[in-house]
Amino acid sequence: MDNIIEIKRLSHIYRETDRGIKNISFAVKTGEFIIVAGQNGSGKSTLFRHLNGLLSPTSGDVWIHGKAVSANLAFARQIVGMIFQDADCQIVGQTVFEDAAFGPENLGLSGKEIQKRTTGALKQLGLLHLKDQNPSTLSGGEKRRLAIAGVLTMRPEVIVLDEPFSNLDYQGTQELLSSIIWLHRAGHTIILSTHDLEKALFHASRVIIIHEGRVAADDNPMAIIKEVEKFGIREPCSSKFGMGIVPWSS
Ligand SMILES: Nc1ncnc2c1ncn2[C@@H]1O[C@H](COP(=O)(O)OP(=O)(O)O)[C@@H](O)[C@H]1O
Ligand SMILES: [Mg+2]
């Protein structure tokens, strides 16, 4: 299988704190579902901000389909759709529809195409019935799915989600998780970060542990599960109790 993303000896050190990420290398293949796990401050968001060129490396580089991100920003952003840690800040429209249509409108697509993409994305995220509502009236989970819908209208191959489950209630988490699983089945490559493996681990094909800015482990979920606690990540209960890795909710 082809590598979509290649991260090569990537380092980013913030001058103010002398912290960041150090010498990170891995490649992402089409169709993978990768969890990037690490405790707070380990470097997950810093790593993700390099995947579409929001940050520039101190050294090393990220390649997308063989092109350096730093020299091909527009291309990188078309391939990699990013849902930020604080997805509520990604909301820009007066209505749910307007918000999701923002990307295709900026691309200068025809009205018909904007309509098609936006309606399709809202439908896929289960938000079409809310299309005329003001985004501020949505629940936390709905807001996060709206951010995904906005990204989806741009038809990205890879969807990157930074701590998507933070501060969501049970229902919001469940619906968001279903949407992410659906996106993966629909052919998107998924990369998501979390400090809590419980929710998505069952669905992941690979886990990369970031610890103090470096890749501490990179393997399939079963191979990694007993190792996570030494990196400050809680082992899922099912695994602790000898039941292996099970879906978070049924
Ligand atoms: N804008 C910034 N300026 C200075 N230091 C930062 C900045 N953003 C993050 N850091 C530091 O870099 C390290 C990694 O942070 P971050 O990538 O946000 O980790 P995570 O997303 O895993 O919580 C932390 O030590 C953090 O304090
Ligand atoms: Mg973060």
Side-chain angles (χ1 to χ4, degrees), residues 12-21 36-49 55 85 162-163 193 210 213:
H12 185 96
I13 306 299
Y14 297 100
R15 218 172 280 162
E16 302 82 356
T17 52
D18 208 32
R19 305 283 305 259
I21 52 173
V36 174
Q39 58 191 155
N40 289 337
S42 56
K44 305 180 295 296
S45 298
T46 304
L47 167 63
F48 281 7
R49 285 187 204 118
L55 282 179
Q85 189 158 350
D162 197 0
E163 306 259 7
S193 76
I210 308 288

Side-chain angles (χ1 to χ4, degrees), residues 51-69:
L51 300 182
N52 68 356
L54 287 171
L55 282 179
S56 301
T58 305
S59 62
D61 215 337
V62 177
W63 297 74
I64 294 186
H65 285 308
K67 297 181 183 182
V69 169

Side-chain angles (χ1 to χ4, degrees), residues 1-6 26-35 48 51 64-65 79-83 148 151-152 155-161 179-192 203-206:
M1 268 197 294
D2 279 350
N3 287 335
I4 304 183
I5 302 177
E6 287 177 72
F26 64 89
V28 178
K29 289 186 180 4
T30 301
E32 285 196 286
F33 187 141
I34 298 178
I35 294 181
F48 281 7
L51 300 182
I64 294 186
H65 285 308
I79 305 293
V80 177
M82 178 87 68
I83 290 93
I148 299 177
V151 161
L152 205 57
R155 309 263 161 96
E157 272 181 66
V158 184
I159 298 181
V160 177
L161 304 111
S179 294
I180 295 170
I181 294 163
W182 178 87
L183 289 167
H184 183 235
R185 287 195 186 135
H188 294 280
T189 301
I190 304 288
I191 306 175
L192 74 80
H203 308 282
S205 53
R206 179 176 171 196

Side-chain angles (χ1 to χ4, degrees), residues 13 39 48 53 58 71 75 79 89-90 104 107 113 125 140 155 158 167 200 203 216 227 231-232 240 246:
I13 306 299
Q39 58 191 155
F48 281 7
T58 305
F75 175 75
I79 305 293
C89 300
Q90 241 165 307
L107 285 185
E113 182 68 16
L125 274 300
R155 309 263 161 96
V158 184
N167 302 317
H203 308 282
E227 308 295 315
F231 304 113
K240 265 189 184 164
V246 301

